[in-house]
């Protein structure tokens, strides 16, 4: 009997090896190699390879290449369409990741039902639930679409056969880790099966102009489980964030060939499904306490939308001890917090280096924009001085190492949103008023550096 050929594959990055290795030379993961069978080549593979080489497509000059019209399929869920860049593009592949129970399947079923009602037939396949379980979820969230078809199947070839027969407007695969191809001996969820299954689905989507939506498991670090190449293969990769005991969820794009990666979608989880939050700023600011020390409002841009958030800070001076002071940050980069602490002490004249410092951005949103620097500095100063920041004031600006406050973009949009939310005053870099429209109801306070901002507020 002929022995089956095998090789070893790193389950973290997909690196292959002829022998087992204790540590992957690419991703440095320990004990990540597993043995997998290699699909045997058939006797006619060489001849087919030569034939395919002769019939391969030819390169086309740039000026003669056809132009595709970027027609969008709207899911009917505004926040989801926003993250996708304006809707689904036919022939594109979207990968959505998140922890179990966070709401991936619920969101996709709602989107699939809306697409079926507005566009055409949609095929929803699940390898984790039966058709009866899928129907139970649809009933719970009130879906009654007549053109949404359910299929409980893990075999990729069987799924693609049904897709060929139906020619749906969209194909949902929940999840890619449960899909498998019979041509490969490895188990579902392995690197080989995940890669080959995703590749087969993507080929079908592009050839049939079908929008493809796939869910994926995530690791304990929050990254997509399986080979990293899955993110490179798809056109858009979205992460579903949120705790199971929290009512709110955030969908964030980490890759999008058809839109911005700075967009986020905010949803509220209810008993009857996920519902978009049209005004995230009001949500994030709804529980803010007026007159509290160590609190300041920041305006950050997420894609095309300005969002107002509360930056909270607590500075507690150490009286004794040989240990280094604590630096704890939530929703903001910890190194950025250390930088702001140094700027506040050196350029603002507020002794804080010997204090335990805790900084948090409320609402569960991660802030990556430097435009929140001024608000974080004001919150830290408020906690150190024991004086509250006026609750009707918002802060916009990036802090430089010299203590200067720098301007950030989209000034008119930020000012308009501040006025709409009822703020009376905005403190920002003086240069932000140049060429920007300031609403009549909003007072613009321009500052050049940190000391000037501190003197205006305290």
């Amino acid at each position: 009997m002929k022995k089956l050929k095998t090789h070893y594959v790193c389950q973290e990055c997909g690196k292959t090896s002829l022998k087992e290795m204790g540590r992957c030379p690419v991703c440095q993961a320990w004990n990540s190699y597993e043995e997998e069978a290699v699909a045997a080549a058939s006797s006619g593979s060489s001849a087919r390879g030569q034939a395919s080489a002769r019939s391969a497509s030819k390169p086309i000059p740039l000026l003669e290449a056809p132009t595709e019209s970027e027609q969008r399929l709207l899911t009917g869920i505004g926040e989801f369409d926003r993250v996708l860049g304006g809707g689904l593009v036919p022939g594109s592949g979207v990968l959505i990741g998140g922890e179990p129970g966070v709401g991936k399947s619920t969101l996709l079923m709602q989107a699939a039902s809306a697409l079926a009602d507005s566009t055409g037939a949609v095929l929803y396949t699940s390898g984790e639930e039966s058709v009866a379980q899928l129907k139970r979820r649809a009933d719970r969230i009130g879906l009654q679409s007549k053109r949404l078809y359910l299929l409980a199947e893990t075999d990729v070839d069987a799924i693609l056969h049904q897709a060929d027969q139906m020619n749906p407007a969209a194909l949902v695969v929940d999840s890619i880790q449960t899909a498998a191809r019979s041509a490969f001996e490895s188990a579902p969820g392995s690197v080989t099966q995940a890669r080959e299954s995703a590749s087969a689905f993507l080929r079908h989507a592009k050839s049939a102009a079908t929008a493809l939506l796939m869910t994926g498991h995530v690791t304990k670090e929050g990254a997509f489980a399986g080979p990293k190449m899955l993110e490179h293969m798809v056109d858009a990769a979205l992460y579903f964030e949120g705790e199971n005991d929290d009512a709110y969820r955030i969908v964030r794009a980490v890759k999008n060939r058809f839109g911005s990666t700075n967009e986020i979608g905010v949803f509220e989880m209810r008993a009857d499904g996920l519902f978009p939050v049209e005004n995230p700023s009001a949500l994030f600011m709804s529980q803010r306490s007026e007159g509290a020390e160590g609190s300041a409002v920041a305006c950050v841009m997420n894609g095309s939308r300005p969002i107002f958030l509360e930056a909270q800070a607590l500075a507690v001076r150490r009286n004794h001890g040989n240990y280094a002071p604590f630096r704890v940050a939530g929703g903001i980069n910890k190194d950025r917090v250390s930088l702001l602490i140094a700027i506040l002490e050196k350029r603002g004249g507020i002794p804080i280096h010997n204090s335990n410092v805790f900084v948090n951005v409320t609402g569960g949103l991660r802030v990556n924009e430097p435009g929140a620097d001024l608000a974080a500095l004001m919150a830290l100063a408020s906690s150190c001085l024991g004086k509250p920041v006026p609750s009707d004031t918002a802060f916009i600006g990036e802090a430089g190492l010299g203590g200067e406050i720098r301007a950030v973009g989209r000034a008119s949009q930020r000012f308009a949103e501040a006025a709409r939310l009822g703020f009376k005053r905005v403190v920002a870099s003086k240069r932000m008023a140049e060429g920007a429209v300031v609403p009549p109801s909003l007072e613009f306070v321009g500052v050049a550096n940190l000391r000037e901002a501190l003197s205006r507020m305290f």
Side-chain angles (χ1 to χ4, degrees):
M1 184 175 180
K2 189 176 179 180
K3 186 178 180 181
L4 188 66
K5 294 182 179 180
T6 62
H7 62 183
Y8 294 87
V9 182
C10 175
Q11 300 301 302
E12 295 292 334
C13 67
K15 173 70 175 176
T16 60
S17 173
L18 295 177
K19 61 180 181 180
E20 188 173 10
M21 304 180 71
R23 187 177 189 181
C24 178
V26 177
C27 66
Q28 306 300 316
W30 287 97
N31 302 320
S32 61
Y33 276 84
E34 291 186 9
E35 187 177 14
E36 293 186 1
V38 181
S42 61
S43 58
S45 61
S46 178
R48 286 197 301 269
Q50 294 176 2
S52 63
R54 289 193 298 269
S55 62
S57 58
K58 298 179 180 179
I60 301 175
L62 173 64
L63 299 180
E64 299 178 13
T67 302
E68 293 183 352
S69 60
E70 195 178 296
Q71 181 184 3
R72 300 277 183 166
L73 303 177
L74 297 180
T75 65
I77 305 175
E79 291 293 291
F80 192 41
D81 288 334
R82 175 191 290 274
V83 179
L84 290 170
L88 284 167
V89 176
S92 65
V94 180
L95 180 63
I96 303 176
E99 295 182 354
V102 75
K104 303 185 298 297
S105 300
T106 300
L107 177 63
L108 285 186
M109 183 163 283
Q110 289 180 235
S113 178
L115 278 171
D117 290 335
S118 62
T119 306
V122 174
L123 178 59
Y124 188 107
T125 69
S126 176
E128 301 175 347
E129 297 176 285
S130 66
V131 171
Q133 289 174 312
L134 295 175
K135 179 63 166 61
R136 198 156 44 238
R137 174 186 289 118
D139 292 340
R140 177 175 57 83
I141 58 182
L143 302 181
Q144 300 292 332
S145 176
K146 296 181 180 179
R147 294 191 289 184
L148 175 59
Y149 294 84
L150 308 177
L151 176 65
E153 183 60 73
T154 59
D155 186 83
V156 174
D157 297 323
I159 295 172
L160 293 179
H161 174 72
Q162 294 296 330
D164 287 332
Q165 297 294 317
M166 290 180 53
N167 191 26
L171 171 63
V172 179
V173 179
D174 186 14
S175 68
I176 190 60
Q177 273 87 9
T178 62
R181 301 195 67 188
S182 57
F184 299 89
E185 300 292 336
S186 51
S190 64
V191 170
T192 301
Q193 287 288 9
R195 180 183 64 241
E196 296 299 329
S197 299
S199 179
F201 285 129
L202 288 166
R203 284 196 303 268
H204 170 82
K206 295 188 183 303
S207 63
T210 298
L212 173 65
L213 292 162
M214 301 182 292
T215 64
H217 302 162
V218 295
T219 62
K220 60 182 179 180
E221 290 81 14
F224 282 110
K228 189 69 175 176
M229 67 186 69
L230 282 181
E231 289 186 49
H232 299 290
M233 294 168 66
V234 297
D235 297 298
L238 314 179
Y239 278 101
F240 223 116
E241 302 172 356
E243 301 296 334
N244 290 339
D245 56 351
D246 190 357
Y248 299 101
R249 307 285 192 269
I250 294 174
V251 178
R252 184 188 308 276
V254 295
K255 174 188 177 181
N256 194 348
R257 289 176 180 154
F258 305 108
S260 171
T261 56
N262 294 322
E263 296 284 5
I264 65 166
V266 184
F267 298 85
E268 181 182 3
M269 175 65 82
R270 303 178 190 170
D272 53 345
L274 278 167
F275 291 83
V277 177
E278 303 295 344
N279 190 354
S281 296
L283 168 67
F284 296 142
M285 301 288 297
S286 60
Q287 301 183 46
R288 186 180 179 226
S289 300
E290 295 187 6
E293 300 172 4
S295 172
V297 176
C299 177
V300 299
M301 293 297 300
N302 269 279
S304 58
R305 175 169 59 183
I307 294 181
F308 283 74
L309 303 164
E310 180 186 4
Q312 295 180 331
L314 178 63
V316 182
R317 181 169 293 278
R318 299 185 310 138
N319 295 323
H320 55 80
N322 297 323
Y323 58 87
F326 294 128
R327 302 287 186 261
V328 179
I332 187 171
N333 186 273
K334 187 177 179 180
D335 293 335
R336 192 73 184 175
V337 171
S338 298
L339 177 67
L340 296 177
I341 291 172
I343 294 173
L344 184 62
E345 173 146 350
K346 182 69 174 180
R347 307 303 180 188
I350 297 179
I352 191 177
H353 76 280
N354 200 35
S355 299
N356 295 326
V357 175
F358 308 85
V359 178
N360 180 51
V361 176
T362 61
L365 191 66
R366 291 200 309 270
V367 175
N368 299 316
E369 192 200 8
D373 286 354
L374 184 56
L377 285 168
M378 292 299 104
L380 285 167
S382 172
S383 180
C384 290
L385 299 174
K387 299 179 180 179
V389 174
S391 59
D392 59 354
T393 303
F395 299 88
I396 309 169
E398 176 185 1
L401 293 179
E404 70 277 11
I405 303 301
R406 300 175 177 269
V408 292
R410 309 274 185 94
S412 296
Q413 284 183 261
R414 298 178 197 250
F415 295 157
E417 183 69 6
R420 190 181 71 83
L421 291 175
F423 287 96
K424 303 299 183 184
R425 185 186 304 107
V426 166
V427 180
S429 169
K430 290 181 177 179
R431 298 193 61 180
M432 287 195 68
E434 299 176 4
V437 178
V438 181
S441 61
L442 192 66
E443 177 190 356
F444 176 79
V445 179
V447 295
N449 52 56
L450 177 58
R451 284 190 179 273
E452 186 177 354
L454 292 172
S455 64
R456 290 291 191 100
M457 291 297 102
F458 303 107

